Amino acid sequence: MRTLSKFAVIFLPVCLLLAVILLFAAYPPETAAAENVPELLDFEIVQPEEGYFPVSGASHIAANSSYIAVYDSPSHAVYVTSPERDYSSSFLLSAGEEVTGLWLSRDTLLLSLRTTTSTEYYAADLAAEAPSLVAVALDVPADISYIVADEHNFYAKSDSAVAVYPNLLTDAGLTLGKLIEDRYVAGKYIFAANERVLYFFAQNYTNSEYFIYSAEDERITDMESDTGYIPASVAYSDCGLVAARRDENILVLSAEDATEVILDTGILYSADTRFAATGNTLYVTEDEGVEVYTLDVENGEAVHTETLAMRGSSDTSLSSPADIAISEDGMFVADAETARVLMFAKEGSPLTITLDGAPTALASDGVSAVYAASEHTLYALTLSEDVLFARKMCAVSGENILDIALTEDGVILLTDSSLYTFSPSVGIPKKAYEVSDGVAVSAAQNDVIYILSERGVHTLSAADGGIAELLDFRTAELLGGTDIAADFAGDLFVSFEDEGKIVVLDNSSPDSLSVSREFTLSHPVAQAHPTAFVLYGGEAYFTSSTCFVGKADVGAVTEEEYVPPVAPDTGSAESMTFATVTADTDAFDEPSRFDTMVPVKAGTVVLRYDGASSWEGYTYVYFNGRLAYIADSLLAEVAPSPLDARYTLPAGAPLLLHPAAEENSAFSEDMVFSATDDAAMLDGGKWVRLDVDGIPYFAVADDLLPYVEPDEPVDPDEPVDPDEPTDPDGPDRTYGRASADRPGGLVGIYILPDIESAVATEVVDGTRMEVIGEEGDFWLVAADGETLGYILKSELELEGLTTVQIVSIVLAVAVAVTGAVIFVVIWQARKKEKE
C-alpha cells in the first residue's frame, strides 16, 4: 500500500482550499443569485375549450375504468386523463428514453423505458396530489418478456415463470407478491388478465393452444388445445377477449374457449397499432391520435364515439398552427396544414375560411383590421353576417412571406430575403429593406419595427410610410426563437418552440440585448411548444405545435397600465431659447425607449425649455408639433431674426406663450400688435412672435394680416376751393381692378408679398380695390377701408377696363344685388374655415 509524503499531506489540502477561494472569487454568491433563473409559468388552454387531450402521435396506450394513459412520441411524454376528462396529468421523459410499454392497475401507472443500455421500469401513483414517476425494480423473473395488468396486480412473465406484483406503490416501489413457476405458464405465451384470472394464447404456430389460468389458485381452469387462432395482441373486455393478428381486423372472441368470434370490429390491425380495452370500450391508436369505440355486441359492430387527438380539420381543431391574432371580433388562428384561418368568435360558433395556400402569418390592429398571409399572397379578412371573407390584396413572387405586421400606413411583409411595405391605396408591395435572416416581425408604438433573427434583433422605423434603420443590429443568442412582440413599456418578448418558453429582453440599451426574465410554460398535461404569440392585455396568447392555443400571464404592460414618466413642466423653464440640430439624430419621448424615438434632420429648429429637462444629458424641446428630448451635445443656439412690423390679429385667433402650451389667449375683436421676431423659423416659419404688453407671444403667421395706418380724416370745417375739381376718390389715391384669366375667375391675395405665403382671400375678376402700398412684384391692396393683403401686379389693372373685366363687373354687380359683395363673402368663408 502506497502512502503520501508529509509534504503531500499538507500540500493537497492547501491546494483544495485555494481552489475553493478562487472558485468563490470567480463566481461569488451575489453573482450567482443575480443570474436570471427561469420561472415556471402556468398556462391555460384556450382552444379547444373541451375534450382536450394533447396527443399527436400515440404509440402506446393503457386503459382501465378510471384512467386512459397514452405515450405521445412527438412530445416525448406520457399523458393521463380520465374517460370523463375530469382528471389530467402528464410525465415528460428525458432525452434518450423511449416508452416500450404502458399498464394501469387501479391508481398505479407502470411503464417500461428502453435506454441505450437497458430496460428500466417506473411507476406513478395517479391518486397522489402531484403524481411523479419513480423507479421501480422488477427483478423477478429474469428476462421479462410480457406484462399485463388487472385491477389488482401487474403480471410480469418470462419464458419460465410469471411474477405477480400487487399494485400498491410504496416508498420501496412495487413488492413481489408471488412467483408462479407452474409448467403450464412456461413457454412463449401472451395473455390478458381480469380479476386475477389469466387468459393465455400460445405463440407457437404449431400449437394454437388457449387456456384460462387462476393466478390465485395457480391452476388451469379451462383449456382449448387448438383454437386455430394465434393473436399478436390481446386485451380483456366485458364483451370478451379483444384480439388481433397483423393485417387483419380486430376481433372480439369468447373468453370461454377463444374459438367463437363474438364481434368483428372492422378495425384493421397493423404493426404500429396498439389497443386497450375496458368495460365495453375499445381504444385504438390510429395515425396521430386514439380512436374510441363502443363494442356493441347486440348489433354486431364497433361504434366510433370520439377521437383523442389534437390534430384535426374540424372547426375546433388544428393540425399545424402557424400564427395568431386578436381583434374585437375574436381570436384568429392560422392553420398551415389545412390551409385555413379559424376564427373563434367572442360570441357564436367558430368560423373558418380556406385560403389558396397554407397561411403563414396573421396581423391585427386589435380593433377590426385583420390580415393573413400565405406563402406568396396577402389577404384582408372581413366578417360579415357571421361569414368570414378573404380578399386578395397583393402578391410577392419569388419570395416566401414569413410574417406580417401592421403600421399606421399599411402592412409590413417579412420575406425570406427582404422587408416590404404595402399600402392598400397603392396596391403594390414595395421592397424597403434587405434582410435575409429574419424569422418574425412585429410593430410597436410609433411604428417601430422589430425583426427577430436567430442572431439578434433588427430595429427599424416605419414612420411616414418609409423604412429606416433606427438602431444598429443588436446581437443576442435567440437560436430557436419563433416570434417577437413588444409591450407598452418597451420590453421585448420572444418565444422559443423547442424549449417551451417565453423570454423578456431588456430593450433599454441601444447597443445590446439581455434577458431580464425567462418563463418556462407549465401545465399539468399539455406540453407547450409556442410557434407564435400575441400580447393581449397582460397575457401572451400562443399557438403550440402540439395543436392547441394557450394563454399565460407574462406580465406584459398594457396601454392602460403603462404610466409614462412625468413630462417636464414647460412653465417652469428658466427660459425659452431657440436652437438648431447640428447632425441627424433622434428625439425621444423617453430617452431609454426606442419606440418613442423619431428621427430629426440636421438643421431642424427647436424651441428649448432650458432648465426643464428631467434626463441628464438631454434637453426638453418643441418641434413640428411635438415635445421630446434631444441630446444636449447636438443643439446649437440660434437667434431669431427681428421683425419691425405691425400686424392685425383677427378676433378669435390664438396667442400662445409657446407652441405646445395647453392654454391660449384670444380676443373678441381684431387687435393690432408689433412683431418682435420670426421665431427662428420654427416649424418651417409657421410662427411669428408678437409683443403683447411687453411679453413675446407666439401667433400663427397664417392668422396675421398686415396692418396699414388709416388715412388722416378730412376736417369738415376746412374751406373748399370751388374752382378745384371734385375727385371723389381723392387726388392721391390709386385704384385698380382684379384681372383673372377668365370672366368670373378668382384672383388670390396673399398675407405676404410672396406667392408661397398663405392666401388671405380670393376676389372675383374685376373687383375694384385701392392700392395702398408696393412691395416688389406686389401691390398692397384694400377694399371698403379694410386691408386685404398682397396681389401680384400682373393681376391688377390700374388703368382702364378690358372687355373681359366689364363682363366680370356685371357678374360682380349681379352678386352684389343679392346683398353681399362677392369678395366679402369669400373672405368671411375663409375666416370661418380658419376658425
Side-chain angles (χ1 to χ4, degrees):
M1 178 179 178
R2 298 181 62 184
T3 58
L4 294 175
S5 67
K6 182 176 181 182
F7 171 78
V9 171
I10 298 173
F11 178 73
L12 285 177
V14 170
C15 289
L16 290 172
L17 178 60
L18 286 173
V20 171
I21 293 172
L22 290 173
L23 182 63
F24 271 81
Y27 303 98
E30 295 79 9
T31 303
E35 291 179 356
N36 183 61
V37 178
E39 306 173 37
L40 279 179
L41 182 63
D42 293 337
F43 67 86
E44 174 187 342
I45 296 170
V46 178
Q47 286 293 337
E49 293 181 334
E50 56 185 27
Y52 171 76
F53 198 63
V55 173
S56 57
S59 60
H60 287 83
I61 185 167
N64 62 14
S65 59
S66 302
Y67 305 99
I68 307 164
V70 176
Y71 172 56
D72 186 57
S73 299
S75 59
H76 206 52
V78 174
Y79 298 109
V80 182
T81 187
S82 64
E84 297 78 21
R85 309 296 191 277
D86 55 4
Y87 172 88
S88 61
S89 186
S90 68
F91 306 95
L92 184 62
L93 305 179
S94 302
E97 297 177 335
E98 180 185 354
V99 170
T100 56
L102 283 177
W103 303 274
L104 283 166
S105 179
R106 202 177 294 276
D107 295 323
T108 302
L109 169 70
L110 176 66
L111 57 88
S112 61
L113 293 178
R114 182 169 55 228
T115 67
T116 55
T117 58
S118 64
T119 297
E120 299 174 357
Y121 297 94
Y122 290 83
D125 181 4
L126 301 180
E129 185 175 346
S132 61
L133 290 175
V134 295
V136 294
L138 300 184
D139 299 329
V140 178
D143 301 323
I144 294 173
S145 60
Y146 199 80
I147 298 177
V148 297
D150 60 16
E151 289 297 280
H152 306 281
N153 306 304
F154 296 102
Y155 304 90
K157 185 183 184 307
S158 70
D159 286 350
S160 59
V162 174
V164 180
Y165 289 89
N167 58 29
L168 181 62
L169 181 62
T170 66
D171 293 340
L174 294 175
T175 304
L176 178 65
K178 65 166 66 175
L179 180 64
I180 303 174
E181 296 182 293
D182 193 310
R183 63 185 179 88
Y184 290 105
V185 301
K188 295 185 180 300
Y189 293 94
I190 65 169
F191 60 101
N194 180 58
E195 295 294 333
R196 301 186 179 92
V197 176
L198 309 181
Y199 301 86
F200 280 88
F201 285 88
Q203 292 298 287
N204 185 344
Y205 282 91
T206 62
N207 180 18
S208 55
E209 188 177 64
Y210 169 78
F211 62 88
I212 301 173
Y213 189 89
S214 171
E216 192 169 20
D217 300 334
E218 296 187 32
R219 65 182 182 87
I220 291 178
T221 60
D222 288 286
M223 187 170 184
E224 181 68 34
S225 60
D226 188 5
T227 63
Y229 187 78
I230 302 175
S233 183
V234 64
Y236 184 89
S237 77
D238 288 351
C239 302
L241 295 175
V242 180
R245 293 195 294 197
R246 186 171 299 177
D247 300 326
E248 295 183 8
N249 289 347
I250 298 174
L251 305 176
V252 179
L253 306 176
S254 167
E256 294 180 0
D257 58 11
T259 59
E260 179 187 357
V261 176
I262 297 175
L263 174 65
D264 183 343
T265 66
I267 304 166
L268 185 65
Y269 178 84
S270 69
D272 298 326
T273 306
R274 301 289 186 275
F275 61 81
T278 179
N280 66 340
T281 304
L282 174 65
Y283 301 91
V284 183
T285 62
E286 290 281 353
D287 296 326
E288 297 173 337
V290 175
E291 304 295 347
V292 184
Y293 300 88
T294 297
L295 301 176
D296 185 355
V297 174
E298 183 176 347
N299 293 307
E301 60 179 342
V303 181
H304 182 265
T305 55
E306 64 175 318
T307 300
L308 304 179
M310 291 308 299
R311 299 186 191 279
S313 57
S314 71
D315 289 347
T316 58
S317 60
L318 304 168
S319 289
S320 180
D323 206 355
I324 183 171
I326 297 178
S327 76
E328 288 183 344
D329 294 322
M331 180 175 68
F332 295 77
V333 178
D335 194 38
E337 190 170 308
T338 59
R340 299 175 303 156
V341 174
L342 293 81
M343 175 187 167
F344 299 97
K346 292 183 178 179
E347 296 181 1
S349 302
L351 305 174
T352 64
I353 187 166
T354 302
L355 305 182
D356 291 341
T360 58
L362 294 170
S364 170
D365 62 359
V367 184
S368 58
V370 180
Y371 286 83
S374 64
E375 239 179 2
H376 306 293
T377 309
L378 178 69
Y379 303 83
L381 303 183
T382 55
L383 180 65
S384 177
E385 298 182 352
D386 295 332
V387 178
L388 196 59
F389 295 93
R391 179 165 57 97
K392 289 185 180 180
M393 303 300 292
C394 69
V396 179
S397 61
E399 299 179 46
N400 296 322
I401 300 175
L402 303 179
D403 201 6
I404 59 176
L406 299 189
T407 68
E408 286 192 4
D409 293 313
V411 186
I412 301 293
L413 297 92
L414 176 68
T415 72
D416 47 15
S417 64
S418 306
L419 195 74
Y420 287 82
T421 59
F422 171 78
S423 172
S425 61
V426 176
I428 301 174
K430 177 182 177 184
K431 184 179 289 189
Y433 190 76
E434 296 286 343
V435 54
S436 59
D437 60 351
V439 173
V441 63
S442 177
Q445 294 185 82
N446 296 323
D447 284 344
V448 173
I449 299 295
Y450 294 107
I451 302 176
L452 172 69
S453 82
E454 293 186 342
R455 301 181 300 107
V457 174
H458 301 268
T459 307
L460 312 175
S461 171
D464 303 322
I467 296 291
E469 191 170 62
L470 203 57
L471 298 175
D472 291 338
F473 179 74
R474 290 178 288 171
T475 60
E477 181 50 62
L478 300 175
L479 183 65
T482 55
D483 207 353
I484 187 170
D487 69 2
F488 276 85
D491 288 327
L492 292 177
F493 293 74
V494 177
S495 59
F496 292 81
E497 179 180 357
D498 291 342
E499 299 173 67
K501 68 181 183 180
I502 293 177
V503 303
V504 186
L505 301 179
D506 182 354
N507 190 28
S508 62
S509 169
D511 304 315
S512 62
L513 290 165
S514 60
V515 175
S516 60
R517 299 182 71 185
E518 183 174 329
F519 302 106
T520 300
L521 298 170
S522 173
H523 189 274
V525 176
Q527 302 297 327
H529 297 283
T531 56
F533 74 98
V534 62
L535 296 177
Y536 189 72
E539 297 173 313
Y541 283 73
F542 63 90
T543 53
S544 175
S545 58
T546 44
C547 299
F548 68 87
V549 178
K551 69 173 181 178
D553 188 352
V554 294
V557 178
T558 66
E559 185 174 11
E560 294 76 20
E561 294 171 341
Y562 179 61
V563 180
V566 177
D569 180 7
T570 52
S572 67
E574 298 167 2
S575 64
M576 287 182 287
T577 58
F578 298 97
T580 56
V581 180
T582 59
D584 289 352
T585 185
D586 298 290
F588 298 83
D589 293 346
E590 300 172 37
S592 61
R593 289 285 303 277
F594 307 113
D595 54 0
T596 70
M597 150 181 174
V598 293
V600 184
K601 292 291 185 183
T604 301
V605 178
V606 301
L607 177 65
R608 299 173 49 150
Y609 299 98
D610 298 315
S613 177
S614 59
W615 294 86
E616 185 177 351
Y618 289 85
T619 296
Y620 202 52
V621 302
Y622 164 87
F623 69 99
N624 295 339
R626 68 180 299 146
L627 293 165
Y629 293 92
I630 290 182
D632 298 338
S633 60
L634 294 174
L635 295 177
E637 189 171 344
V638 63
S641 299
L643 296 177
D644 184 15
R646 303 186 76 194
Y647 289 93
T648 297
L649 182 70
L655 276 172
L656 301 99
L657 282 170
H658 59 88
E662 294 182 0
E663 297 182 2
N664 66 77
S665 302
F667 297 93
S668 58
E669 58 184 26
D670 293 356
M671 301 293 290
V672 178
F673 295 105
S674 296
T676 60
D677 58 61
D678 66 350
M681 297 302 289
L682 181 68
D683 293 348
K686 176 181 178 180
W687 306 96
V688 172
R689 287 208 291 184
L690 304 178
D691 185 336
V692 182
D693 296 332
I695 300 174
Y697 274 78
F698 286 80
V700 178
D702 286 356
D703 288 341
L704 302 177
L705 299 174
Y707 172 72
V708 179
E709 292 287 347
D711 293 335
E712 289 291 331
V714 179
D715 187 353
D717 297 329
E718 183 177 349
V720 179
D721 185 354
D723 296 327
E724 185 176 346
T726 301
D727 182 358
D729 293 330
D732 299 323
R733 305 178 82 167
T734 303
Y735 290 86
R737 294 183 183 273
S739 176
D741 57 358
R742 61 181 178 82
L746 299 178
V747 176
I749 298 179
Y750 304 90
I751 66 168
L752 297 173
D754 184 351
I755 60 173
E756 298 297 329
S757 65
V759 176
T761 187
E762 292 175 317
V763 296
V764 74
D765 177 56
T767 301
R768 189 168 187 266
M769 294 168 286
E770 180 183 1
V771 178
I772 59 175
E774 182 181 8
E775 186 72 43
D777 294 332
F778 290 81
W779 297 117
L780 180 62
V781 294
D784 292 342
E786 181 181 359
T787 301
L788 299 181
Y790 291 91
I791 187 173
L792 281 167
K793 289 180 178 179
S794 61
E795 295 183 345
L796 188 71
E797 291 284 348
L798 296 181
E799 296 180 353
L801 297 175
T802 66
T803 303
V804 170
Q805 290 170 328
I806 292 172
V807 175
S808 300
I809 294 170
V810 173
L811 292 173
V813 170
V815 174
V817 170
T818 66
V821 178
I822 193 164
F823 75 83
V824 175
V825 173
I826 296 171
W827 167 246
Q828 292 296 334
R830 183 168 183 83
K831 285 183 65 178
K832 290 180 179 178
E833 181 182 313
K834 288 183 178 181
E835 292 169 0

